[in-house]
Amino acid sequence: MTTGLIPGGQPPDPRPTGGLPHQRQEPPVDQAALHVDNRSRSSVITARAAASFEPVGRSVASARSFVRDTLQGWGFADIVDDAVVLTSELVTNAVVHAGTSADVLCLRSDDGVRIEVADRYPEREIPLQGQAVNMGNPDREGGRGLQLCAALSGRWGVEYTPTHKQVWFQLDLPERPVGTRAAGPSLPADLLPLADGRVRVAVVQIDRTGAITSWNEDAEELFGYTADLIIGKPLTDLAAWPHTPGTSTGIAEALRLSRWEGSYGIRDSDGRVTSVYASHLRVRDTAGEPSTVCLLVRDHERAVLQTPLRVPADSTSSSDGQSTDPFEVFIGSPAPDDLDGLLQRTVERARDMLDGDSAFLLLATDDETELEVRASTGLPSARQRFARVPVEAGPGRYGSARMPAVHDDLTAVPGAVPLLSGTGMRSVVTVPLKVEGRLTGSLGVAAESPGRYSNEEALRLQFAADRIALAVESARLGELERLRRGSLSFLVEASDLLAGTLDRDQTLALMAQMTVPTLATWCAVYTIADQASDPYLSYVLHEDEELIDGIKSLLSKIQPPDPVPTPGARVWSAPGEAAHQAALRSSMRSLGLSGGPTHQIASGIGPTLATASAVGGETVVLPLVARNRVIGMLTLGKPTDEHFRQEILELAEDLSRRAALALDNARLYSERTAISQSLQRSLLPPELPEIGGVEVEVIYRAAGEGNEVGGDFYDLFPIRDGAYGFAIGDVCGTGPNAAAVTGLARHALRLLAREGLSGPAVLERLNSAILDEGARSRFLTLLYGELWPQEDGSAQLKVVCAGHPLPLRLRQDGTVEPAAEPQPLLGVIEDLELYEQAVTLDPGDVLLCVTDGVTERREGARMLGDDGLADVLSTCTGLTAGAVAARIMRAVERFASDAPSDDMAILAMRVPGLQKD
């Protein structure tokens, strides 16, 4: 930066103003030459200061310091804030966005200050005369300078040359008596403050313990206590401090502040409370002992002590007389609609107003116990965002956030402001944001040099914080309401999705897909089979699918998190540490520091570093607890040090509870399904035997999800040499109860048939066994037969049809006829008189046996029936047994669009005849 300062016609001050090393001086200014000939300078210029700034980021802060020092040196403290804000925006446009050096010129005249900022952007277009000026989008990072000029300055303009663009603005000085910092107008005597006789100012000094050490005569007169009665007593014994609802501050805290002004009461010797206005100043003696000097007057005489407002009385009115909102004066107009934009604009304005190197804003939680970082500038915001610090004094905090605080040197008080640890900031001023006495946040500005701020800056920042507190709280409540509505919608959708499946693997996938990327950048799900098992990495998901395998490999090499049942999220540092070590090893190998040729491992460097970057941020673990048992852990991670928001963690905790119950339900369902299917498979016959000279095909469909066996059953088994038994039956009902009778019937048939009993005798004894089950018995329709293949290629059958749909015989000429007569079903009456019928299957003939689930297939009022089945079978001439069974099943499925509601079994036997040589 190069500077030159010329007050009036004097030579420039050769001292550097803090910037880049090279400097230049300008010749004395000819007063006559300073009249504006073609620009808006209509007054005589009495002082001039110029500086040049290189196109680097630090130049913006240097420009702010230059303007602030210049205007304060001229005695124009009332317009410093607006000038610094406008200069910061215009220099930022030049050195950051345009990438060129910036020239800043400050001109003092008798009616105001004009500041010019010029850049040297070579490709800037010169606007045509009369062309409308585009003010740009106020929400953009750049381009707000002209809008601010229009909002804050009295006059402004833009001037172009082929190689330069110059933006100037003029700030008018408030009308006030010369030589005073603040003054009130002359008033009639009856409007002056009323004082009872001589105005008395009590001077009270308080030591570091809060005890009174000095008590002057005015104090004795005001409160009735003599010095010998009062010295040594705590001031808190006399003070009637008006506690504000929602805060815990008192006079003890106020006495420890460097400066404080306000009202409270003092109990006099008669026990009455006298309202006083107080001004406290913290001092220390030559031995370094701190104490507080308190100046007290009666409250109605507060004008004696009260600090006048720094803002002129007409600051809320624009040049045209229209009222201006104080909030918009600070934050700019239009204000951002979203909370993040408003907070970011606030910290930028606060930083510029106090000429700081950084600024930050924290919002209080609902219970006012913690503050959450929501916006910052000049700090590593990605690392600090959403971090939390306590409100009151305690571990990690110095003092209370409910009161303004100024720290001259943070190195003297380590941990005073945890947010600034390791950032190089030395001095800081923080003020609370309050709405109706309730703490809603904290605003702070910090600088790299010590001793930058005093109580005066704290008052200015507090005034700004009071301007924006209500708007910030309103925007925060709006954002919170939107988050809550979104959270409810998210949880409702998640519950519907999780309730829609009982598959364990699908539940794990849904858990991960609902969290990424809505709640986190990546997630991992650990499951625990039982209390004696270790957590197992079951599922990993990242928003970038190419990183999933790398994260899974990294997590598989570290110990899983402990299965702690304590609800809530807890930080898990192991993945970040492992990622850091993996990245370090990869970098060393790439540099050849681990021995061996680097080209052998170069192919693995990229994925390792990418994985380390993806997992290197904050990682939290939430337990999956169902039925008072930890069944797994849900791990959420971010790639950066940005902290998880508390609202996100609360939403993730709600999701983890629902997901845990869904995952446990899926586990129980899978276990019970596996047991059920294992038992059901034991009821099915083993592989069908090979029968020489006869083709056999069976198709079986059990109704109901997860059922492999229902009330229908079939069997085909050898009885003795050359003889085979076959059966197809239907137990009343479906499901496990019917399957129990199925097992009884199938096993009893095999045992009785192999005892050499005839078909009717086998069914009569089976009927007795079913009746012996008592209330658990169910009636049973059964077709039982015995088969003997013949040497001539035919087959002899003996069939008993006990209440079952009749078997159908398909001849080679396409005719279909019943192959048996109906007889009583089993499980209803004790004495049965059954008989068997002989059937001969000629070569090419087919015997089709089905259960009533086939014939009673319905579509509305229509039913397939025996006639429909016979029609389908008549079209199967010349087909193999397998083809016949498949055609029948296909016809049944196509007959109705709904899923079958009854079990179905199809048994087809065909005699192909002898093969010719």
Side-chain angles (χ1 to χ4, degrees), residues 187-193:
L187 294 176
D190 57 347
L191 296 181
L192 295 175

Side-chain angles (χ1 to χ4, degrees), residues 569-893:
R570 54 192 172 92
V571 177
W572 185 31
S573 59
E577 295 172 355
H580 176 73
Q581 293 297 326
L584 182 60
R585 288 193 298 269
S586 296
S587 299
M588 293 179 65
R589 287 199 302 267
S590 66
L591 297 174
L593 300 179
S594 59
T598 59
H599 66 275
Q600 295 180 359
I601 50 87
S603 60
I605 293 176
T608 301
L609 294 177
T611 302
S613 175
V615 186
E618 185 179 57
T619 303
V620 296
V621 178
L622 297 102
L624 299 174
V625 181
R627 298 176 176 90
N628 298 321
R629 187 174 73 88
V630 180
I631 64 172
M633 284 86 70
L634 177 63
T635 303
L636 307 178
K638 286 180 173 289
T640 65
D641 286 338
E642 179 178 316
H643 295 263
F644 282 95
R645 294 185 60 176
Q646 187 64 23
E647 293 85 355
I648 295 297
L649 294 180
E650 292 173 357
L651 182 58
E653 187 176 355
D654 286 339
L655 175 64
S656 67
R657 287 195 290 266
R658 290 165 169 78
L661 189 59
L663 184 61
D664 199 46
N665 289 338
R667 178 187 63 83
L668 294 175
Y669 178 78
S670 299
E671 292 177 355
R672 293 179 182 179
T673 299
I675 294 172
S676 175
Q677 291 177 348
S678 177
L679 293 175
Q680 290 184 57
R681 282 192 292 270
S682 68
L683 301 178
L684 295 175
E687 295 182 0
L688 300 178
E690 294 284 343
I691 302 178
V694 178
E695 297 175 358
V696 179
E697 182 65 28
V698 175
I699 296 179
Y700 184 83
R701 297 284 189 274
E705 184 179 358
N707 292 330
E708 293 191 12
V709 175
D712 292 5
F713 69 95
Y714 67 93
D715 202 358
L716 180 63
F717 54 91
I719 300 177
R720 50 188 174 273
D721 293 341
Y724 297 87
F726 66 91
I728 184 170
D730 184 2
V731 179
C732 174
T734 60
N737 293 331
V741 180
T742 296
L744 171 65
R746 194 177 69 79
H747 292 295
L749 282 176
R750 288 197 172 206
L751 291 173
L752 295 174
R754 288 170 178 172
E755 291 294 324
L757 300 176
S758 64
V762 168
L763 267 62
E764 289 170 1
R765 296 195 179 188
L766 175 59
N767 180 63
S768 299
I770 294 174
L771 292 175
D772 289 343
E773 292 294 312
R776 296 181 301 176
S777 65
R778 290 170 175 261
F779 64 82
L780 168 67
T781 67
L782 180 64
L783 171 65
Y784 174 74
E786 296 180 354
L787 169 68
W788 292 271
Q790 304 297 311
E791 294 182 356
D792 60 356
S794 63
Q796 296 294 325
L797 292 85
K798 291 183 178 180
V799 181
V800 181
C801 185
H804 198 76
L806 300 179
L808 298 179
R809 176 181 180 181
L810 172 64
R811 296 183 179 275
Q812 284 188 318
D813 59 2
T815 59
V816 177
E817 60 185 7
E821 297 177 353
Q823 300 185 58
L825 51 78
L826 308 180
V828 178
I829 58 178
E830 294 184 359
D831 297 329
L832 290 179
E833 294 182 0
L834 302 175
Y835 58 91
E836 58 184 10
Q837 294 175 273
V839 179
T840 300
L841 294 181
D842 297 325
D845 288 355
V846 175
L847 184 70
L848 177 66
C849 310
V850 300
T851 57
D852 60 3
V854 174
T855 56
E856 294 180 1
R857 176 72 164 155
R858 293 181 179 274
E859 174 69 21
R862 297 186 306 120
M863 186 173 69
L864 180 63
D866 296 334
D867 294 338
L869 179 63
D871 293 339
V872 176
L873 181 60
S874 65
T875 64
C876 298
T877 304
L879 300 180
T880 63
V884 171
R887 179 170 290 187
I888 297 298
M889 179 55 70
R890 188 163 56 250
V892 172
E893 292 175 344

Side-chain angles (χ1 to χ4, degrees), residues 35-287:
H35 291 280
V36 178
D37 50 355
N38 59 349
R39 290 187 280 183
S40 301
R41 305 175 195 161
S42 58
S43 303
V44 174
I45 295 175
T46 58
R48 173 190 179 102
S52 296
F53 301 92
E54 298 296 330
V56 293
R58 289 292 302 165
S59 293
V60 180
S62 299
R64 292 197 299 266
S65 298
F66 165 70
V67 172
R68 181 177 298 279
D69 293 342
T70 299
L71 298 189
Q72 286 180 342
W74 291 345
F76 296 154
D78 295 310
I79 61 173
V80 164
D81 292 342
D82 288 345
V84 167
V85 168
L86 295 177
T87 303
S88 180
E89 287 289 344
L90 298 178
V91 173
T92 299
N93 289 340
V95 302
V96 176
H97 300 297
T100 76
S101 60
D103 297 330
V104 178
L105 176 63
C106 300
L107 300 175
R108 184 184 70 186
S109 63
D110 53 0
D111 61 351
V113 172
R114 174 183 170 120
I115 297 178
E116 301 176 356
V117 179
D119 63 47
R120 301 182 178 87
Y121 190 55
E123 298 180 2
R124 189 178 307 279
E125 296 181 359
I126 300 177
L128 299 177
Q129 185 175 2
Q131 184 177 357
V133 178
N134 182 10
M135 299 293 284
N137 185 349
D139 295 328
R140 293 178 52 193
E141 173 64 22
R144 296 194 296 255
L146 299 184
Q147 290 185 325
L148 288 175
C149 288
L152 301 180
S153 65
R155 295 187 296 275
W156 67 280
V158 183
E159 299 176 4
Y160 286 90
T161 70
T163 59
H164 289 69
K165 186 195 78 170
Q166 179 175 275
V167 181
W168 63 269
F169 60 88
Q170 181 161 332
L171 299 174
D172 297 329
L173 298 178
E175 294 183 3
R176 62 182 183 181
V178 177
T180 62
R181 288 184 56 84
S186 299
L187 294 176
D190 57 347
L191 296 181
L192 295 175
L194 180 63
D196 298 337
R198 183 172 69 86
V199 176
R200 298 186 181 273
V201 179
V203 180
V204 183
Q205 192 159 1
I206 314 297
D207 65 13
R208 66 188 311 166
T209 65
I212 299 173
T213 60
S214 178
W215 186 264
N216 72 342
E217 294 180 357
D218 280 356
E220 294 181 7
E221 185 68 25
L222 284 175
F223 308 119
Y225 300 104
T226 60
D228 58 336
L229 294 177
I230 207 69
I231 290 178
K233 292 185 177 181
L235 181 63
T236 54
D237 290 351
L238 305 178
W241 184 263
H243 287 280
T244 302
T247 69
S248 61
T249 57
I251 191 170
E253 288 83 356
L255 291 173
R256 287 195 294 267
L257 298 176
S258 61
R259 184 181 292 276
W260 185 88
E261 285 186 21
S263 300
Y264 53 89
I266 294 291
R267 293 184 181 87
D268 60 21
S269 59
D270 295 331
R272 294 173 300 181
V273 175
T274 301
S275 297
V276 299
Y277 189 84
S279 175
H280 297 175
L281 177 65
R282 190 76 161 164
V283 298
R284 62 177 178 171
D285 59 19
T286 56

Side-chain angles (χ1 to χ4, degrees), residues 5 7-8 10 20 58 159 182 311 338 385 414 548 572 585 637 721 825 895 910:
L5 180 63
Q10 301 300 319
L20 298 177
R58 289 292 302 165
E159 299 176 4
V311 178
D338 61 304
R385 188 168 167 82
I548 294 178
W572 185 31
R585 288 193 298 269
D721 293 341
L825 51 78
F895 187 80
R910 178 176 180 268

Side-chain angles (χ1 to χ4, degrees), residues 396-419:
R397 181 167 188 91
Y398 177 83
S400 173
R402 301 183 189 277
M403 300 290 288
V406 177
H407 298 282
D408 290 332
D409 194 348
L410 292 177
T411 59
V413 190
V417 184
L419 178 65

Side-chain angles (χ1 to χ4, degrees), residues 304-531:
V304 176
L305 299 181
Q306 187 171 22
T307 301
L309 295 176
R310 292 182 52 83
V311 178
D314 60 347
S315 63
T316 58
S317 298
S318 60
S319 59
D320 58 0
Q322 295 181 350
S323 177
T324 304
D325 187 355
F327 166 74
E328 292 185 352
V329 172
F330 174 74
I331 206 65
S333 180
D337 294 332
D338 61 304
L339 176 61
D340 289 337
L342 176 61
L343 299 183
Q344 192 62 35
R345 183 82 65 85
T346 298
V347 295
E348 292 172 358
R349 294 292 184 268
R351 176 204 61 193
D352 296 345
M353 184 181 72
L354 296 189
D355 191 22
D357 298 307
S358 64
F360 53 89
L361 193 149
L362 301 85
L363 294 184
T365 56
D366 291 338
D367 57 3
E368 296 184 34
T369 59
E370 289 184 307
L371 294 168
E372 186 179 63
V373 180
R374 291 300 303 271
S376 64
T377 181
L379 296 175
S381 57
R383 176 170 66 87
Q384 304 290 350
R385 188 168 167 82
F386 301 121
R388 291 196 166 197
V389 296
V391 169
E392 300 296 345
R397 181 167 188 91
Y398 177 83
S400 173
R402 301 183 189 277
M403 300 290 288
V406 177
H407 298 282
D408 290 332
D409 194 348
L410 292 177
T411 59
V413 190
V417 184
L419 178 65
L420 301 180
S421 300
T423 61
M425 300 297 158
R426 297 283 298 276
S427 55
V428 61
V429 53
T430 61
V431 296
L433 275 69
K434 292 185 177 181
V435 175
E436 297 180 351
R438 183 174 58 87
L439 180 70
T440 60
S442 178
L443 177 63
V445 178
E448 295 179 353
S449 58
R452 176 75 70 85
Y453 303 114
S454 64
N455 192 64
E456 183 179 2
E457 281 77 16
L459 292 175
R460 294 170 58 200
L461 189 61
Q462 184 67 71
F463 183 53
D466 293 340
R467 291 179 182 178
I468 57 106
L470 185 59
V472 169
E473 179 66 3
S474 177
R476 187 189 72 85
L477 292 177
E479 181 197 61
L480 186 60
E481 180 63 24
R482 288 191 296 271
L483 285 174
R484 287 174 177 170
R485 288 199 300 266
S487 298
L488 289 175
S489 176
F490 174 81
L491 290 175
V492 168
E493 183 179 358
S495 299
D496 289 343
L497 291 173
L498 291 171
T501 178
L502 288 172
D503 182 81
R504 176 181 176 275
D505 293 337
Q506 189 174 1
T507 302
L508 289 172
L510 284 174
M511 290 171 58
Q513 292 167 6
M514 285 185 291
T515 57
V516 176
T518 304
L519 306 181
T521 305
W522 65 271
C523 84
V525 183
Y526 290 85
T527 56
I528 303 175
D530 52 63
Q531 295 182 352

